[in-house]
Amino acid sequence: MVFGRRPRAPLLLARFSGLRRGACGRAMAPPRCFALELPGCTLAHFAVGDEAPGARPDPGVAALLGPPGRSYSLSVPVAGGAGCAARVRAARLHQRLLHQLRRGPFRRCQLRRLLCYRPGGGPGGLQHGFLLHDPRDSPDTRSALLALLDACPEAPRPRLAEFSGDPLCRLWQLPWERRDGQGWRQLGRERVVPVPEPALHPTVPDLPSSGVFPRREAARAVLEACTSFIPEARAVLDLVDQCPEQAQKGKFPVIVMEGLDATGKTTVTQSVSDSLKAVLLKSPPSCISQWRKIFDDEPTIIRRAFYSLGNYIVASEIAKESTKSPVIVDRYWHSTATYAIATEVSGGLQHLPPAHHPIYQWPRDLLKPDLVLLLTVSPEERMQRIEGRGMERTKEEAELEASSIFRQKVEVSYQRMENPGCHMVDASPSREKVLQMVLSEIQNNCN
C-alpha cells in the first residue's frame, strides 16, 4: 500500500488505541494474542481480532507494525496433539528459520522475537516465531519469505502474515496461505488491537514440557523423539534406562556447587572435595559429556532434555557414592532449570515466573542434595576473569556476556529455586577465604 505521506505518530497511536471492530475484522473468541520483544527487553502485547477493554497501545508496536517500512510475522505451529515429536519438529524448524532470517536478503531487516498465544491457554497453545521489519518495504523481502516457506518440507508450514496501515492510520494483519497448484495468496485482513499484558508470561505454562522437566519421563520422551536424527540420543537413553527409577541418597552428605562460569566454581569445588575427602561428580557426567557439543547446537527443548537426563544419571552415581563418603557435585538440576527459564522467558526480569511458582520446585523423582551453594561475583570481576583466562565461550556464556538482562535472569532464577534453595557465597575474596566460607556453610547445614 502506498502512502501519500507518513502518518504522524500521535495520530497513529490514537487510532490504534481507539479501534473498533469493523466490517473487515473477524470476530475471534478468544483473540490470537502476540507478545513482541522490543528493544530494552520490554514486551508489548497485541491481538488480531476484537479489542480488549482497558488495553493501552504501546508506541513500540505502532512503530514496528505501521509505516514506514513493512513488517512480517512468521510463526511455527505445533502439529495436532502437541506431543513430543511435534514439539521437537517445531523447535528445530524455528531454529532453522532463525539462521536463515539472519542471512541473505533479510540482513537489512530488523528481527524480533514474537510469541503467539491464547489468553488463559494451557500447555501446548504457544507458537514461537519472529517479527521481521523491513524499513525499506522492498518487494524482494516478501518474495524471499515466500520462497523460504516453499523450501520448508515440514507440515504444517510456518504461518506468514504481513502488517499494514491504511489512510485512517489503522493497523491490519494480512495472512498469507499457499494453495496447492495456485501459489500464495492473501486471505483478507484482520484488525490489530492492543491487549493487556497477561499476569503470567505466555511461555511459562509450556516450560514443564519444553525445558524445565518436572520428572524423568518428560525429558526422556523428548530424546526418544530425537533418535531418528540424533543417534547419540539412543545412547543417552540406554544409560538412563540403567538407572533406578528413584535413586536414594546414602548416609553421607551431598553438596552441590553452582555458579556462572568464571566465579571460581571449578577451583573451589575441587578444593572442597579435597578438604572433605569427598567424591567429586559432575553434571553432565563423563559418560555423556562427550556429546555435549551435539546437543548444545540443538533447540532448548532438546538441549535441556539432554541435561535433565544427565542429572538422573548423576543421581544414580550419587546414590552409590554417598554410601561410602561425602559427595560434591559440580552443577546439578538448578543449572538446567535456570538457563532454560532465562532462555525461554523473553523480556526482562519482571517477566520471570514470580517467586514460589511451581517451576522453581525440585523434581520429585530426582535425588535431592543436602545443600546447594551458589558462588557469585560481580559482573565486572567475572568479565575480568574470563578475559584473563582466555576461556572458550559456550553459546550460553556468550549470551551472558552480550546481555546483562539474560545474566540477571539466570541469577534471579537461581535465587528463586526452592526445596532446596541456593545458599549464596561471595566468591570475590581470595581462594583460601572462599574455601573457608564454603566449608563453614557445609558444617552449619550438613551436621
Side-chain angles (χ1 to χ4, degrees):
M1 181 172 293
V2 179
F3 291 81
R5 61 178 181 174
R6 178 184 175 185
R8 291 180 299 169
L11 178 59
L12 178 62
L13 291 177
R15 297 289 188 183
F16 188 41
S17 62
L19 295 178
R20 298 183 183 277
R21 180 182 166 195
C24 295
R26 297 181 183 177
M28 302 190 69
R32 296 194 306 276
C33 293
F34 296 85
L36 174 62
E37 191 167 43
L38 300 175
C41 292
T42 60
L43 290 182
H45 295 263
F46 63 94
V48 175
D50 289 333
E51 183 178 3
R56 295 183 177 182
D58 190 302
V61 173
L64 283 173
L65 300 188
R70 189 173 295 264
S71 291
Y72 301 86
S73 66
L74 199 62
S75 59
V76 181
V78 179
C84 279
R87 286 174 174 271
V88 165
R89 284 195 299 271
R92 299 190 87 219
L93 175 56
H94 180 271
Q95 180 171 279
R96 187 156 67 252
L97 289 173
L98 174 61
H99 295 329
Q100 292 170 322
L101 291 172
R102 287 174 170 168
R103 303 198 304 257
F106 308 113
R107 296 182 67 178
R108 66 176 179 269
C109 300
Q110 301 171 10
L111 189 63
R112 305 243 173 247
R113 189 173 178 180
L114 185 69
L115 300 170
C116 178
Y117 64 96
R118 297 282 186 181
L126 187 71
Q127 295 179 19
H128 292 266
F130 312 96
L131 185 83
L132 192 75
H133 179 70
D134 179 8
R136 302 181 184 180
D137 192 8
S138 170
D140 294 339
T141 301
R142 178 190 295 155
S143 299
L145 282 171
L146 296 177
L148 178 63
L149 296 188
D150 277 333
C152 289
E154 286 82 0
R157 271 193 180 92
R159 292 173 178 166
L160 175 67
E162 65 181 79
F163 295 89
S164 179
D166 64 17
L168 297 179
C169 304
R170 295 170 299 189
L171 294 172
W172 302 88
Q173 184 194 67
L174 295 80
W176 284 84
E177 182 180 76
R178 190 180 192 282
R179 296 294 181 91
D180 291 338
Q182 302 178 24
W184 291 89
R185 69 169 189 167
Q186 287 186 343
L187 300 177
R189 62 180 185 173
E190 295 176 310
R191 188 74 62 82
V192 175
V193 296
V195 292
E197 182 170 341
L200 199 62
H201 192 283
T203 63
V204 174
D206 263 28
L207 283 176
S209 55
S210 64
V212 188
F213 303 102
R215 62 189 188 281
R216 179 166 75 174
E217 282 308 307
R220 192 189 185 287
V222 172
L223 281 205
E224 190 71 52
C226 299
T227 54
S228 62
F229 55 88
I230 306 178
E232 293 79 7
R234 174 53 59 192
V236 175
L237 291 173
D238 290 342
L239 290 169
V240 171
D241 291 343
Q242 297 173 25
C243 301
E245 291 188 6
Q246 188 76 51
Q248 301 295 323
K249 190 181 77 68
K251 63 179 181 179
F252 288 92
V254 177
I255 298 97
V256 174
M257 304 294 294
E258 295 278 6
L260 305 182
D261 287 346
T263 56
K265 178 177 56 63
T266 300
T267 301
V268 173
T269 299
Q270 185 63 60
S271 298
V272 171
S273 178
D274 293 341
S275 299
L276 298 180
K277 296 181 173 56
V279 172
L280 176 58
L281 301 175
K282 294 184 178 182
S283 185
S286 57
C287 59
I288 66 171
S289 59
Q290 58 186 313
W291 302 315
R292 283 184 66 176
K293 179 64 171 64
I294 295 171
F295 288 95
D296 280 346
D297 289 338
E298 294 291 336
T300 296
I301 185 173
I302 300 175
R303 185 166 67 252
R304 291 300 145 201
F306 168 76
Y307 283 103
S308 292
L309 294 179
N311 291 331
Y312 287 93
I313 297 174
V314 169
S316 66
E317 297 177 358
I318 294 172
K320 177 181 177 181
E321 298 297 339
S322 62
T323 62
K324 300 176 289 186
S325 67
V327 176
I328 307 297
V329 187
D330 185 348
R331 288 190 172 172
Y332 199 22
W333 183 81
H334 283 167
S335 290
T336 307
T338 54
Y339 278 93
I341 294 170
T343 299
E344 293 300 288
V345 177
S346 56
L349 293 176
Q350 69 274 24
H351 299 109
L352 289 174
H356 311 303
H357 188 276
I359 205 69
Y360 299 118
Q361 296 293 320
W362 192 271
R364 293 183 179 181
D365 62 349
L366 181 62
L367 185 149
K368 190 182 300 184
D370 296 285
L371 179 66
V372 180
L373 298 175
L374 176 63
L375 301 183
T376 65
V377 296
S378 69
E380 296 76 18
E381 182 170 350
R382 200 178 69 86
M383 286 300 300
Q384 291 177 359
R385 293 182 180 185
I386 290 174
E387 293 171 357
R389 289 161 53 182
M391 59 182 289
E392 182 179 354
R393 293 166 173 81
T394 63
K395 182 187 301 183
E396 287 171 339
E397 180 59 36
E399 189 165 1
L400 285 172
E401 294 177 42
S403 172
S404 62
I405 297 296
F406 180 75
R407 174 182 52 76
Q408 292 173 49
K409 288 197 291 186
V410 171
E411 292 175 339
V412 170
S413 296
Y414 265 126
Q415 295 165 14
R416 291 181 180 176
M417 291 295 161
E418 294 181 325
N419 192 33
C422 295
H423 291 247
M424 314 289 286
V425 176
D426 181 8
S428 299
S430 66
R431 188 177 305 174
E432 292 75 16
K433 179 65 174 176
V434 174
L435 175 60
Q436 291 176 5
M437 289 190 292
V438 169
L439 292 175
S440 177
E441 286 282 349
I442 293 174
Q443 183 177 9
N444 293 337
N445 291 278
C446 296
N447 288 333

